[in-house]
Amino acid sequence: MDWRIDDRSSPLSFGTYGSGERGGRRWTRLDWILIAILTLVSALASFHDLGNRSAPQTFWKPGASGEGFVVDFGEAKAVDRLNLYEGPGATGKSKIEYSIDGTNWQTYAEVEHKVNRAFTWKSEDKHAEARYMRYTAVATGFRLYEAAFFSKGSDEPIRIADIKPAGTQSGSAEGSADLAFDEQSEAPYRPDYRNSMYFDEIYHGRTAYEFIEKMEPYENTHPPLGKVILSLGVEWFGMTPYGWRFMAAVGGTAMVPVFYWAARGLFKRTRYAFIGTLLLLFEGFHLVHSRMANVDIFGVTFTIVMFYAMYRYGETKWRGGGFGKGFGYLALSGVFFGCAAAVKWNYLYGGAGLAILFFLSLYRHVREAKRDREPGAAKKAILTVLACVVLFGAVPVGIYAASYIPYLKATKAEDSYKDLWQYQKNMYHYHKGVKEKHPYSSKWYTWPIMQRPVWYYGGKDLAKGDAQSIAAIGNPLIWWGGLLAMLASWVLGFLRRDRVVLTLGVMYLSFYVPWMVAPRSITFLYHYFPMVPLLILSIVWMLRHLEERWRYGREFTWLTVAAAGVLLVWFYPVLTGMTISREWMNIGIRWLPSWGF
């Protein structure tokens, strides 16, 4: 590879355009075949066993304290478990009693309804011999979508002979008691991730549903765009586990061709785009977040587009029609910057990196125009800056504001866009004020070494010796090896004025450094997610460097890829919620004592 450069004395003049750049980026038939295969593999991994395609849809909401109903089994039954499926609201209290004769009652369970159980099956285990079960709302505010009683050893709910109203009947209730028992086939004996929400799904997936139903959104601590996207799956497949996770799986699948496109453009070789995308497929964070109703999968995909488009702007010559073409890349970058910011605020941090890359590119363009004696360099620079005021100011603001349309339609208060600024202030004060300790929070300086993965889900009611977990954990080779590769590439890339390294380094620091001073004190490993694609691209850069200078470089590349694939298989159980032995979980998968799952 030719490392000769122009203006080597200037620290701002990173690299040259080279002679074959346009041809190097032109896709071949092989590119299309590979991306089709890789995307299909990603889709299969994301959608496989994603969640049940059906769930209770009707509900009873009591209107007053004391309102309830009595369930009659027709004869005495052994009751060992009560499963309840709650919806949005999920506040209040209930009391469940049992009786043999319908006269003498004993308490079976007292349930406090909580927001973290929305669209989640909750089990109450207790043995009772009963013909009648009486359900009474002690404090209202919850929606009961379905209830089911089970006898030990049976996966089928106890058949109900009759349901009668009991206690106070307010007239303001929504639905009827019958609706709490009309979908018994949807009631599982054992709740798990396939039939219930887990971790932040109770906020993001729930809010997606509330947007559709024009209900007061519970979660307003992040901008709405991610939840708006999630709501599409709910529209198409109903409020089911498959429905609320569908668009996340689409987003994770879409990240694959987007990443391939970026890697193909950065390295100008099908080989390196394929290697990089394989590493993405082997990355645990990508897989986990493609299979749950979270919004980060969208934000990270948008950031890949925004920084690659800015890179392409820097690589586009002004002469020969390139000046106008460069505006297209700037527009693409600005649009996806706006989309990323409308998903979560932490993606705004990437804006600093875009600004640095933009001004370095503009400086380079002006220098080259003057060197080549092109007329109007100053005018072009001024026009470009003015255009960026719109493309990185007005356009992102417009996208951000438009993302609030579903939110405004769903709120009960007569809110309008005049309240948009107040929403942002509320959001800021919320994140600044987060002080509550969380067992899986972690500090920013521990993220690169993956010291504390986030335990999203832990299975209950398992056979003795079994374990079931879903954890936000990355591929150790990609995280630890990627960190070493990035640091090494910074040294080598700076010496060679490599603009790929410059782009990756600037974006990594722009996403990472703000967390060092961010006002939020409780942070999590998933905040490091935007940096993971940059680590992968840094690995590819170093592999290319070794291949060009070491006899066994290609062998080392495939050894690296194979090792990453083996580690994906190794950690696959805790990425997808497979049931495995607790002994293997503790010995084989928990590599560090701080990995709590």
Side-chain angles (χ1 to χ4, degrees):
M1 185 174 183
D2 187 1
W3 292 104
R4 290 175 297 176
I5 60 174
D6 294 335
D7 297 326
R8 193 179 178 91
S9 60
S10 170
L12 299 179
S13 300
F14 268 68
T16 60
Y17 293 110
S19 59
E21 299 220 353
R22 183 174 180 181
R25 289 197 184 93
R26 187 175 293 119
W27 282 33
T28 65
R29 179 181 297 177
L30 179 60
D31 286 298
W32 292 106
I33 293 173
L34 289 176
I35 197 55
I37 295 172
L38 292 169
T39 303
L40 176 61
V41 171
S42 178
L44 292 174
S46 297
F47 285 97
H48 172 67
D49 204 17
L50 187 62
N52 292 352
R53 297 199 180 199
S54 59
Q57 300 295 309
T58 60
F59 64 88
W60 167 69
K61 182 180 180 182
S65 176
E67 191 167 3
F69 53 84
V70 173
V71 172
D72 181 3
F73 299 136
E75 59 181 340
K77 296 285 186 179
V79 179
D80 295 286
R81 170 169 293 185
L82 164 63
N83 280 347
L84 303 174
Y85 187 73
E86 304 174 16
T91 59
K93 294 182 179 180
S94 298
K95 184 177 182 179
I96 299 96
E97 300 166 289
Y98 67 96
S99 173
I100 287 286
D101 56 13
T103 302
N104 300 299
W105 296 90
Q106 299 182 62
T107 300
Y108 183 84
E110 293 182 347
V111 178
E112 183 177 356
H113 303 280
K114 299 179 180 180
V115 295
N116 62 357
R117 290 203 296 266
F119 299 108
T120 299
W121 286 97
K122 172 181 170 54
S123 294
E124 295 287 344
D125 291 333
K126 180 179 179 179
H127 175 74
E129 294 292 330
R131 174 177 174 174
Y132 303 98
M133 301 294 294
R134 183 166 66 187
Y135 191 105
T136 306
V138 178
T140 62
F142 62 93
R143 289 175 171 83
L144 181 60
Y145 275 66
E146 199 71 13
F149 300 94
F150 293 88
S151 297
K152 189 174 182 179
S154 174
D155 291 336
E156 295 294 326
I158 298 173
R159 187 172 180 179
I160 295 169
D162 192 23
I163 304 171
K164 294 181 179 180
T168 304
Q169 297 300 304
S170 65
S172 60
E174 295 182 39
S176 63
D178 292 344
L179 297 182
F181 297 91
D182 65 332
E183 298 167 287
Q184 293 288 280
S185 61
E186 304 296 341
Y189 178 78
R190 176 181 173 266
D192 77 351
Y193 80 89
R194 297 175 181 86
N195 51 52
S196 300
M197 287 186 166
Y198 64 93
F199 204 70
D200 281 353
E201 288 189 333
I202 61 172
Y203 304 120
H204 301 155
R206 165 186 175 168
T207 304
Y209 173 77
E210 289 167 340
F211 283 168
I212 294 171
E213 297 297 323
K214 304 296 187 295
M215 299 170 62
E216 186 73 27
Y218 175 78
E219 191 274 322
N220 55 16
T221 59
H222 296 293
L225 182 57
K227 281 89 73 175
V228 173
I229 297 173
L230 289 176
S231 71
L232 297 176
V234 178
E235 288 269 21
W236 297 333
F237 300 102
M239 194 55 186
T240 65
Y242 187 84
W244 64 63
R245 294 174 189 147
F246 178 82
M247 287 307 298
V250 171
T253 302
M255 188 186 291
V256 170
V258 167
F259 187 86
Y260 187 98
W261 168 65
R264 184 67 172 78
L266 288 168
F267 298 107
K268 310 178 189 70
R269 290 278 301 279
T270 297
R271 171 183 175 79
Y272 298 120
F274 177 64
I275 290 169
T277 310
L278 267 183
L279 292 176
L280 178 67
L281 286 178
F282 295 157
E283 216 303 292
F285 249 57
H286 171 255
L287 180 59
V288 167
H289 291 94
S290 298
R291 294 175 51 80
M292 65 178 294
N294 82 105
V295 298
D296 289 288
I297 196 72
F298 309 124
V300 175
T301 302
F302 295 154
T303 63
I304 295 172
V305 177
M306 80 184 193
F307 79 72
Y308 175 61
M310 182 58 73
Y311 170 82
R312 288 299 303 272
Y313 167 74
E315 297 297 291
T316 304
K317 302 177 183 179
W318 273 3
R319 61 180 181 271
F323 177 69
K325 185 178 181 180
F327 279 89
Y329 289 123
L330 289 175
L332 188 64
S333 182
V335 166
F336 280 90
F337 171 60
C339 291
V343 170
K344 270 190 177 181
W345 274 7
N346 54 291
Y347 301 118
L348 277 170
Y349 298 158
L354 294 179
I356 292 171
L357 294 175
F358 167 72
F359 283 110
L360 288 175
S361 298
L362 186 63
Y363 172 84
R364 229 170 27 241
H365 286 319
V366 172
R367 282 178 63 91
E368 290 174 351
K370 289 182 177 179
R371 181 193 62 194
D372 297 337
R373 301 182 183 278
E374 292 183 31
K379 182 179 178 181
K380 289 180 178 179
I382 293 171
L383 287 174
T384 303
V385 171
L386 292 176
C388 283
V389 172
V390 176
L391 297 176
F392 291 91
V395 170
V397 168
I399 293 172
Y400 189 93
S403 73
Y404 272 87
I405 292 175
Y407 180 89
L408 292 172
K409 289 182 177 180
T411 54
K412 294 180 180 179
E414 294 183 0
D415 294 347
S416 65
Y417 275 107
K418 63 182 176 60
D419 301 299
L420 196 58
W421 179 245
Q422 185 60 46
Y423 297 156
Q424 313 315 304
K425 291 169 63 177
N426 295 343
M427 212 180 302
Y428 172 79
H429 289 300
Y430 166 80
H431 289 287
K432 183 180 179 181
V434 173
K435 304 294 183 184
E436 184 179 352
K437 298 295 182 181
H438 193 287
Y440 291 93
S441 64
S442 56
K443 297 296 184 181
W444 61 267
Y445 49 81
T446 69
W447 297 343
I449 60 173
M450 204 162 55
Q451 180 176 323
R452 189 63 168 167
V454 189
W455 192 19
Y456 283 164
Y457 168 79
K460 298 179 181 179
D461 198 23
L462 297 165
K464 186 177 180 180
D466 284 351
Q468 183 190 30
S469 290
I470 298 176
I473 185 170
N475 188 309
L477 184 145
I478 292 171
W479 283 55
W480 298 339
L483 180 63
L484 294 176
M486 175 166 280
L487 295 175
S489 71
W490 286 358
V491 176
L492 297 171
F494 182 81
L495 293 175
R496 293 164 173 80
R497 301 294 193 267
D498 188 277
R499 290 207 289 267
V500 172
V501 172
L502 175 68
T503 300
L504 301 181
V506 167
M507 293 308 302
Y508 179 90
L509 292 175
S510 70
F511 282 125
Y512 194 25
V513 170
W515 285 108
M516 302 177 187
V517 295
R520 177 168 174 153
S521 60
I522 304 299
T523 54
F524 297 88
L525 186 63
Y526 56 71
H527 291 131
Y528 194 72
F529 195 7
M531 284 76 96
V532 175
L534 303 170
L535 295 177
I536 295 173
L537 292 170
S538 295
I539 291 174
V540 175
W541 192 93
M542 283 302 303
L543 291 175
R544 183 185 67 172
H545 177 78
L546 290 173
E547 286 186 4
E548 292 169 347
R549 287 159 179 79
W550 184 28
R551 179 180 177 182
Y552 300 105
R554 288 203 166 202
E555 288 78 3
F556 182 77
T557 292
W558 292 119
L559 180 63
T560 300
V561 173
V566 169
L567 287 175
L568 172 71
V569 175
W570 190 277
F571 286 95
Y572 189 83
V574 296
L575 301 174
T576 59
M578 287 180 61
T579 300
I580 59 175
S581 73
R582 170 54 63 183
E583 184 179 12
W584 174 245
M585 179 80 79
N586 292 336
I587 296 174
I589 296 182
R590 291 185 61 196
W591 287 8
L592 300 178
S594 57
W595 290 7
F597 42 77

